């Protein structure tokens, strides 16, 4: 009798051991616990430095027209551990090499009643956790439709969060800083108008979500490798402080149509007691597939100017004429139209921009409004809105191409789709062939307004597949893509580095639409930039927009040297000098930093950071021993000492410091700055003061 009892106990212990698993990070600081509840519901829990940072959280997916779904009644068939460690080279990035080191646990689950199998794959890095759902090929799960993903992130406390409203169509919001429990009450005040927007819950927020716990822990939730799936938002149960994934629906209110074998995107949690570690994390990139482009020699970082800010401020127009209440491509005769006199993309003006770019060493010139169709492009649910190959009468494509070529400047194409994804796909090959013919190596795409097909959202599965199609089609023509109004990036630029930039957040343009909060760019690197670089379009020197357009009383809520610091703080291999040449000509001494700062880096050092308050970053030029430092400051003045111990010990340097003047203020005196020079070494320390809404920029050049 005792022998039988002992055997039963051993079997029970063995069963419990199979139903629970543990995974440690390579450095042992993170531990992930996986277990099944009594009803077979998968759960995970995450600790950091022996402290729980994600409470026990449920995993699973609810399916359409499926009484069982993929939520519970599972048993563990197999748990397979693995470890991986490599260093891979970037095509472009914040450094030339990235270490990809993780421990992995792949848990194969079988659902008892249905005999369906899923794998939940966990990867634990030294900076956090990634996990995804995998659906192997099997007879009982082939085609299936997601009603909702039920992934949970259970918080351990009422953390401070830096959040924007959950929205199926836009991320172009200012950030709100609040406790998690305060999101509901603040939600309506966090909303601002946009060309296309739809929220789903007064406790819904977007990823990448940045939080700070009472004990000083920084916590970031996002997703990686978002391909053939719907974009994930987070919906907060504010009574229990549990986030649940909320996928973007399609026109039929479905959250995803899948066919096994397939995988979900990775769900990511990055954590540290040092905010700088969040900025330095490359986990999102590491969870993406390696580069699929064999020859990447044509993919190059770009610094550019353009015909853009003048339209954003209202000084110039995208459209050629005011004669027509509506136009039809191929039918409307523009030769009979009277030019409106405000059209920015005219040959003479574009050549002036080419001259400016050539004079100051810029790589390219972007021109918006060059093609027919802008007279009634927006808000009409219009399918055939642009053809991407028909220029206005005052835009000489051939002549501009030859002129730019003679000056050593590359032209950057603009393709606004007005949300008509189907129309863009119909014209894509012809449009890219047109670009190849006329020497355009990069395209800025746009998706302003509600999406077509009607009922789809900017972040639904069908539209995300469209964005991916454009990126991959562009590879065939060796074209770099900078997508605006598309989905937020999730590290796909590792796999397709021709995706050289994205907008997908509240960029500089909103400074001309009423302004952004003065601390906006102290938050973006912790949120939007976690998934990839942003075409933020910095470099505005005239903060009073009424001086550009008397009918626009907006104000840029930064100082001038804050704008300089953006070129280092807001990493991107694609950087614009957004302002008008005449404004740069007024401040050529400060403009020198924009001319000097590289767009290709070999390494990055995160000197100090606090989300919402300040960021200071140093980066080393990929092609020299020179360093550049950028600082962005929040709403209150701040003084700090910067240590230059990252410099080479056996070298001497000269630092040129572009700083806020003592009386600088983003509201009252934004153009007050000083420029000083001094010799520095690795032993040097610089005491720097940033104004409210201010910042600084430093170039550190090796003395040979």
């Amino acid at each position: 009798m005792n022998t039988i009892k002992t055997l039963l106990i051993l079997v029970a212990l063995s069963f419990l051991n199979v139903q629970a698993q543990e995974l440690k990070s390579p450095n042992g600081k993170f531990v992930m616990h996986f277990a099944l509840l009594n009803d077979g519901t998968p759960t995970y829990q995450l600790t950091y430095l022996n402290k729980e940072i994600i409470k026990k959280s449920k995993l699973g997916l609810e399916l359409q027209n499926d009484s069982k779904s993929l939520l519970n009644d599972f048993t563990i068939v197999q748990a397979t551990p693995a470890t991986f460690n490599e260093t891979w080279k970037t095509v472009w990035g914040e450094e030339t090499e990235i270490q990809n080191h993780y421990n992995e646990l792949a848990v194969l689950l079988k659902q008892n009643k249905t005999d369906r199998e899923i794998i939940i794959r966990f990867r634990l890095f030294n900076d956090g956790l990634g996990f995804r759902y995998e659906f192997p090929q099997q007879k009982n799960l082939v085609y299936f439709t997601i009603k909702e993903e039920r992934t949970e992130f259970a918080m351990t406390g009422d953390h401070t969060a830096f959040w924007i409203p959950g929205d199926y169509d836009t991320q172009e919001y200012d950030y709100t800083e609040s406790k998690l429990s305060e999101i509901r009450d603040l939600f309506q005040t966090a909303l601002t108008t946009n060309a296309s927007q739809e929220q789903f819950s007064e406790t819904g927020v977007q990823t990448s979500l940045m939080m700070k716990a009472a004990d000083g822990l920084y916590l970031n939730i996002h997703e990686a490798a978002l391909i053939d799936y719907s974009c994930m938002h987070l919906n907060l149960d504010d009574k229990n402080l549990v986030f649940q994934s909320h996928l973007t629906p399609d026109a039929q209110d479905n959250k995803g149509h899948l066919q096994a074998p397939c995988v979900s995107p990775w769900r990511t949690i990055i954590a540290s007691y040092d905010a700088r570690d969040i900025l330095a994390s490359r986990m999102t990139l590491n969870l993406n597939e390696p580069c699929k482009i064999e020859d990447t020699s044509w993919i190059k970082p770009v610094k550019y100017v353009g015909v853009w800010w003048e339209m954003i401020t209202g000084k110039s127009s995208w459209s050629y004429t005011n004669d027509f209440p509506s136009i039809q491509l191929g039918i409307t005769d523009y030769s009979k139209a009277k030019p409106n006199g405000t059209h920015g993309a005219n040959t003479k003006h574009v050549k002036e921009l080419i001259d400016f770019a050539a004079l100051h060493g810029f790589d390219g010139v972007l021109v918006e409004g060059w093609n027919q169709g802008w007279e009634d492009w927006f808000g009409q649910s219009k399918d055939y809105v642009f053809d991407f190959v028909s220029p206005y009468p005052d835009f000489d494509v051939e002549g501009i191409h030859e002129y730019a070529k003679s000056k050593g400047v590359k032209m950057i194409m603009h393709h606004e789709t007005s949300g008509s994804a189907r129309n863009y796909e119909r014209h894509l090959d012809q449009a890219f062939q047109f670009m190849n013919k006329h020497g355009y190596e990069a395209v800025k795409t746009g998706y302003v307004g509600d999406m077509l097909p009607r009922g789809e959202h900017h972040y639904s599965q069908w539209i995300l597949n469209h964005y991916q199609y454009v990126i991959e089609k562009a590879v065939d023509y060796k074209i770099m893509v900078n997508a605006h109004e598309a989905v937020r990036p999730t590290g796909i630029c590792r796999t397709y580095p021709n995706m050289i930039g994205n907008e997908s957040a509240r960029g500089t343009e909103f400074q001309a639409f009423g302004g952004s909060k003065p601390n906006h760019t102290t938050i973006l690197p912790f949120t939007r930039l976690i998934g990839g670089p942003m075409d933020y379009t910095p470099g505005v020197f005239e903060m009073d927009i009424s001086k550009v357009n008397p009918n626009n009383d907006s104000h840029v809520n930064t100082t001038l040297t804050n704008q300089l610091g953006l070129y280092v703080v807001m990493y991107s291999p694609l950087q614009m000098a957004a302002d008008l040449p005449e404004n740069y000509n007024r401040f050529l001494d400060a403009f020198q930093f924009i001319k000097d700062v590289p767009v290709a880096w070999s390494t990055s050092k995160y000197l100090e950071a606090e989300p919402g308050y300040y960021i200071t970053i140093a980066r080393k030029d990929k092609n020299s021993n020179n360093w550049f430092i950028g600082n962005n400051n929040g709403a209150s003045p701040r003084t700090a000492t910067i240590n230059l111990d990252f410099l080479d010990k056996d070298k001497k340097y000269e630092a040129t410091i572009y700083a806020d003047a003592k009386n600088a203020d983003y509201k009252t005196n934004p153009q007050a700055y000083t420029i000083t020079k001094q010799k520095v070494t690795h032993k040097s320390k610089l005491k720097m003061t940033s104004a409210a809404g201010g910042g600084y920029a430093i170039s550190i050049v090796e003395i040979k």
Side-chain angles (χ1 to χ4, degrees), residues 2-50:
N2 289 338
T3 304
I4 294 173
K5 186 176 180 181
T6 302
L7 285 172
L8 287 173
I9 292 171
L10 288 172
V11 169
L13 287 172
S14 176
F15 178 79
L16 287 171
N17 184 55
V18 168
Q19 304 308 306
Q21 301 288 332
E22 182 179 280
L23 178 67
K24 292 185 178 181
S25 61
N27 63 9
K29 294 182 179 180
F30 284 95
V31 180
M32 189 281 301
H33 299 273
F34 175 84
L36 296 178
L37 300 181
N38 291 336
D39 67 351
T41 298
T43 68
Y44 76 100
Q45 178 188 20
L46 186 63
T47 64
Y48 178 59
L49 298 175
N50 299 315

Side-chain angles (χ1 to χ4, degrees), residues 19-270:
Q19 304 308 306
Q21 301 288 332
E22 182 179 280
L23 178 67
K24 292 185 178 181
S25 61
N27 63 9
K29 294 182 179 180
F30 284 95
V31 180
M32 189 281 301
H33 299 273
F34 175 84
L36 296 178
L37 300 181
N38 291 336
D39 67 351
T41 298
T43 68
Y44 76 100
Q45 178 188 20
L46 186 63
T47 64
Y48 178 59
L49 298 175
N50 299 315
K51 187 170 185 179
E52 185 179 54
I53 62 171
I54 299 290
K55 296 164 68 176
K56 184 172 286 189
S57 301
K58 295 179 181 179
L59 299 166
L61 297 100
E62 184 179 359
L63 306 184
Q64 290 282 23
N65 305 315
D66 190 298
S67 58
K68 191 64 176 171
S69 287
L70 296 170
L71 295 170
N72 53 28
D73 196 27
F74 287 105
T75 57
I76 296 177
V77 176
Q78 187 176 13
T80 307
T83 188
F84 186 82
N85 191 5
E86 70 166 1
T87 298
W88 56 277
K89 294 184 182 297
T90 60
V91 176
W92 47 259
E94 297 178 73
E95 54 271 299
T96 54
E97 292 185 341
I98 292 176
Q99 185 181 23
N100 185 11
H101 189 195
Y102 59 82
N103 290 332
E104 179 179 281
L105 182 68
V107 184
L108 174 61
L109 302 174
K110 176 169 278 192
Q111 196 170 44
N112 298 322
K113 185 176 180 180
T114 65
D115 273 343
R116 296 186 295 205
E117 293 183 339
I118 65 170
I119 296 169
I120 305 178
R121 188 177 301 274
F122 298 92
R123 288 182 180 171
L124 201 48
F125 300 77
N126 288 336
D127 43 351
L129 175 68
F131 61 90
R132 73 179 181 189
Y133 303 96
E134 300 181 1
F135 310 97
Q137 190 161 12
Q138 57 199 290
K139 64 180 181 179
N140 292 337
L141 188 68
V142 184
Y143 292 96
F144 56 103
T145 302
I146 299 174
K147 184 176 182 179
E148 188 59 88
E149 183 185 315
R150 297 298 182 190
T151 303
E152 290 183 350
F153 304 85
M155 300 294 100
T156 59
D158 192 9
H159 303 330
T160 297
F162 299 85
W163 58 275
I164 55 176
D167 196 299
Y168 297 150
D169 289 292
T170 186
Q171 284 202 194
E172 294 176 329
Y173 294 112
D174 254 321
Y175 283 88
T176 298
E177 177 186 351
S178 77
K179 295 290 187 182
L180 295 177
S181 60
E182 297 170 336
I183 290 175
R184 184 185 298 274
D185 291 338
L186 295 172
F187 191 87
Q188 291 301 321
T189 58
L191 292 173
T192 50
T193 56
N194 195 273
S196 180
Q197 57 190 145
E198 183 175 335
Q199 302 85 45
F200 58 87
S201 165
E202 289 199 334
T203 56
V205 298
Q206 300 196 41
T207 71
S208 173
L209 177 66
M210 186 68 198
M211 293 172 284
K212 186 178 182 182
D215 68 348
L217 178 78
Y218 299 91
L219 193 64
N220 186 285
I221 300 175
H222 192 31
E223 60 181 325
L226 175 54
I227 294 178
D228 196 17
Y229 205 83
S230 293
C231 178
M232 180 183 74
H233 310 274
L234 300 171
N235 198 21
L236 177 66
D237 172 354
D238 49 359
K239 291 183 179 178
N240 297 303
L241 299 179
V242 176
F243 284 108
Q244 188 176 87
S245 57
H246 181 98
L247 303 182
T248 305
D250 63 16
Q252 297 175 315
D253 207 32
N254 293 317
K255 302 296 185 82
H257 297 270
L258 302 183
Q259 176 188 355
C262 58
V263 299
S264 77
W266 297 90
R267 280 63 188 97
T268 64
I269 302 165
I270 304 170

Side-chain angles (χ1 to χ4, degrees), residues 320-327 332-338 375-376:
Y320 170 74
T321 182
N322 299 334
D323 284 0
F324 307 127
S326 71
I327 66 99
T332 301
D333 188 354
Y334 280 98
S335 68
K336 296 179 180 178
K338 177 184 176 183
E375 283 70 23
D376 64 343

Side-chain angles (χ1 to χ4, degrees), residues 31 78 92 110 129 138 161 181 203 235 319 334 372 384 390 396 409 460 462 466 469 519 560 603 639 660:
V31 180
Q78 187 176 13
W92 47 259
K110 176 169 278 192
L129 175 68
Q138 57 199 290
S181 60
T203 56
N235 198 21
S319 61
Y334 280 98
Q372 296 177 14
Y384 186 32
S390 297
D396 178 4
V409 173
S460 60
W462 194 94
H466 162 79
Y469 175 76
N519 70 339
L560 190 149
T603 189
T639 299
D660 292 318

Side-chain angles (χ1 to χ4, degrees), residues 54 151 262 281 363 454 501 503 510 608 668:
I54 299 290
T151 303
C262 58
S281 173
D363 304 300
R454 297 176 183 89
E503 183 193 36
F510 278 84
E608 53 172 6
T668 60

Side-chain angles (χ1 to χ4, degrees), residues 412-423:
I412 301 172
M413 182 60 76
H414 180 236
H415 288 166
E416 176 56 61
T417 68
S418 192
S420 185
R422 186 176 60 173
N423 179 59

